[in-house]
Amino acid sequence: MPLELGILNRRRFFAGIAGVGASWLGQRALSAAEAIKAPSGTWALVSDTHIPSKLGERHRGACMAENVERVVSEILSRDAGTGGVIVGGDCARLYGHADDYRNFAGLIEPLVHGRREVHLLMGNHDNRNVFSRTCATAFPDHEGPSGRRTAFLPSEHLNWFLLDSLEEGSPVAGRLGRDQLDWLAAALDRHPDKPAVVMAHHHLKIRDEKGRVFQPMSALRDSSELHEVMKSRRQVKAYLYGHTHRWEIGRTREGIHLVNLPSSAYVFDSSQPVGWVEATAREDGLELEFRSLHSLHPSHRERHRLKWR
Ligand SMILES: [Fe+2]
């Protein structure tokens, strides 16, 4: 990331958070237990942080704020996320309160200090209007079609297309809407020559290559429309999402990789881990390393190499 961009990001960040004092700037310095250097230009993928308005709040045995502190600390200690940090939605605890976002901004502020460009998606537990009033201008992504937050992020080996699947009034399921699908199709058509990775908060309601459909009631309502846009464009190689609080990798029948990013906060299935994912783009694919917050979890440091179709 160019130096100037980092400085701009920091200035914008501090100017863009409404009603925040300096109290949250004093973050605890956590020990870097596994300070192994990551390859340069990696992306740090974090999801479902569920930061509450009371920092000490716990849910399902986890302190969400403490977990994010640990993730942020590890990203910095590994020198990861220098390509960018993407938070896959459900940044807020349940309803997207202003204090949730102020706390969220405070917790990720060391990343901005560390010259990381931070992008975030909206999930079903976010509130787009409250986020916009509280700290949207602190983040680089601009308003997309129909007031949604979309982003096109070009990088050396791939282009990211970030989508906003938060549907107001829907507590769990999501929807992109025709305008956003058209925006994606046009944006993909303008960039046919580089591998594309599409990302939104919700999982797809489609059969994967094993014939499975995961929890269709809580999925993206216009999954088949998104699937149509993606499968007909060969440059689309992967779809990344959060929402289910699971770490899982699958594929569509057309060979589009489906990457379910884990939650950094808590899980619904006790066999699942909490953590984050470090992604390194290559010319012919994407390398993923899962970083569990519990180093004894069997999937900690699990690596996958996604080869492009
Ligand atoms: Fe969530």
Side-chain angles (χ1 to χ4, degrees):
M1 184 174 62
L3 178 66
E4 297 77 14
L5 189 58
I7 291 169
L8 281 174
N9 193 202
R10 282 189 292 163
R11 283 184 186 151
R12 178 178 54 219
F13 191 80
F14 294 120
I17 301 167
V20 174
S23 59
W24 51 257
L25 293 175
Q27 298 296 308
R28 275 186 287 157
L30 296 181
S31 64
E34 292 178 88
I36 304 161
K37 291 281 181 193
S40 64
T42 65
W43 293 78
L45 307 174
V46 186
S47 195
D48 292 82
T49 55
H50 289 281
I51 297 304
S53 50
K54 290 194 173 71
L55 281 173
E57 185 179 327
R58 302 180 71 86
H59 184 65
R60 291 179 177 261
C63 179
M64 292 71 84
E66 199 175 290
N67 283 2
V68 166
E69 273 193 318
R70 290 178 58 197
V71 168
V72 166
S73 174
E74 194 184 38
I75 290 170
L76 292 169
S77 67
R78 284 176 63 78
D79 201 19
T82 50
V85 178
I86 306 177
V87 183
D90 278 4
C91 308
R93 171 74 182 97
L94 284 175
Y95 305 110
H97 293 148
D99 282 343
D100 298 349
Y101 292 118
R102 291 190 187 107
N103 283 338
F104 174 83
L107 288 161
I108 64 160
E109 181 269 335
L111 293 174
V112 181
H113 258 307
R115 300 179 187 280
R116 305 302 195 273
E117 192 81 15
V118 182
H119 306 269
L120 59 85
L121 280 59
M122 293 278 102
N124 51 299
H125 289 294
D126 288 306
N127 183 310
R128 201 180 290 113
N129 293 332
V130 175
F131 173 75
S132 294
R133 284 200 305 274
T134 312
C135 59
T137 54
F139 294 89
D141 307 331
H142 299 293
E143 296 244 318
S146 309
R148 303 290 186 111
R149 292 181 58 80
T150 54
F152 166 66
L153 310 177
S155 69
E156 186 185 1
H157 293 305
L158 57 82
N159 292 323
W160 294 87
F161 297 82
L162 308 187
L163 305 177
D164 177 346
S165 60
L166 165 61
E167 181 180 34
E168 280 175 28
S170 172
V172 184
R175 189 189 300 276
L176 296 173
R178 193 68 253 169
D179 288 352
Q180 194 172 189
L181 288 163
D182 290 345
W183 174 86
L184 175 65
L188 285 168
D189 289 342
R190 281 196 299 276
H191 303 280
D193 298 328
K194 197 181 273 189
V197 174
V198 178
M199 188 167 169
H201 177 70
H202 287 81
H203 62 285
L204 298 180
K205 188 172 52 180
I206 61 168
R207 292 198 185 282
D208 65 12
E209 65 177 353
K210 293 178 181 161
R212 300 173 306 180
V213 187
F214 184 79
Q215 296 187 350
M217 297 299 284
S218 57
L220 190 71
R221 288 196 164 110
D222 41 9
S223 292
S224 38
E225 289 88 340
L226 174 60
H227 188 205
E228 278 303 317
V229 169
M230 295 195 298
K231 76 180 183 188
S232 59
R233 291 167 174 84
R234 289 292 298 181
Q235 75 269 37
V236 179
K237 311 298 187 189
Y239 176 70
L240 274 58
Y241 56 99
H243 190 44
T244 66
H245 295 215
R246 300 176 71 80
W247 163 236
E248 228 161 45
I249 294 180
R251 241 174 12 170
T252 71
R253 290 170 176 175
E254 302 80 25
I256 298 172
H257 297 281
L258 300 170
V259 180
N260 195 164
L261 297 171
S263 169
S264 71
Y266 51 83
V267 292
F268 303 113
D269 171 350
S270 60
S271 69
Q272 281 285 323
V274 289
W276 62 285
V277 174
E278 188 174 275
T280 309
R282 305 288 183 208
E283 261 179 56
D284 60 346
L286 191 64
E287 290 174 10
L288 302 176
E289 178 171 340
F290 174 66
R291 308 290 308 174
S292 173
L293 287 180
H294 302 112
S295 59
L296 296 179
H297 194 281
S299 57
H300 179 50
R301 302 180 70 179
E302 192 178 275
R303 290 183 181 195
H304 294 264
R305 175 152 193 153
L306 309 184
K307 211 147 172 33
W308 296 151
R309 64 173 177 163

